[in-house]
Amino acid sequence: MAKNENVRLQAEILQADERTFLAVKAITDYSPANPAYSFATLAAKNEALHAAQEAELRAENAFNAARDANVAIQWEYHNLILGVKDQVIAQFGPNSDQVASLGLKKKSERKSPARASKPAA
């Protein structure tokens, strides 16, 4: 049996298991001594596996769609905020207290560029 049953199986192993299932399905006189390994049990588990894979795929698609919708709304909101900042500057001026209340620097608080001095040779 498996060593660590909390780790996802590799795709190659799952493909080999599916091939084995199809091969057992083709054996008409398969009758194991242990009823836990009957074809009915195997077929039910195969159906449950496919249902679980489909459910995971649907959930993953739903998650991706929700994430994409969230990103789109974030960008719409951010662009709206940038426009609001521009409108506040246009309405109240670049030196107003309203500009400072938005977390922006007033134009008068900006440091004027200083001339770089040449290094002594």
Side-chain angles (χ1 to χ4, degrees):
M1 291 295 164
K3 292 181 182 179
N4 184 355
E5 294 186 4
N6 293 322
V7 177
R8 184 181 290 271
L9 288 174
Q10 297 173 355
E12 297 84 21
I13 294 173
L14 291 173
Q15 289 171 353
D17 288 349
E18 187 68 22
R19 285 191 301 271
T20 301
F21 170 75
L22 293 174
V24 170
K25 186 176 181 180
I27 301 172
T28 56
D29 57 344
Y30 175 69
S31 180
N34 187 342
Y37 298 102
S38 70
F39 182 74
T41 304
L42 181 62
K45 200 57 74 174
N46 182 271
E47 189 174 321
L49 172 66
H50 288 293
Q53 288 171 338
E54 184 179 336
E56 180 184 14
L57 181 62
R58 287 177 192 240
E60 186 176 332
N61 290 341
F63 170 77
N64 289 339
R67 183 188 59 225
D68 291 347
N70 183 23
V71 168
I73 284 290
Q74 286 176 353
W75 276 104
E76 288 175 18
Y77 182 72
H78 177 67
N79 289 332
L80 183 63
I81 290 295
L82 293 177
V84 166
K85 288 178 180 180
D86 288 342
Q87 292 300 307
V88 168
I89 291 170
Q91 182 176 353
F92 297 103
N95 264 340
S96 66
D97 290 335
Q98 289 83 354
V99 168
S101 72
L102 297 178
L104 301 173
K105 279 190 174 182
K106 292 181 181 181
K107 190 173 184 180
S108 61
E109 293 175 351
R110 294 194 183 275
K111 192 175 185 180
S112 60
R115 216 176 251 220
S117 61
K118 293 185 179 181

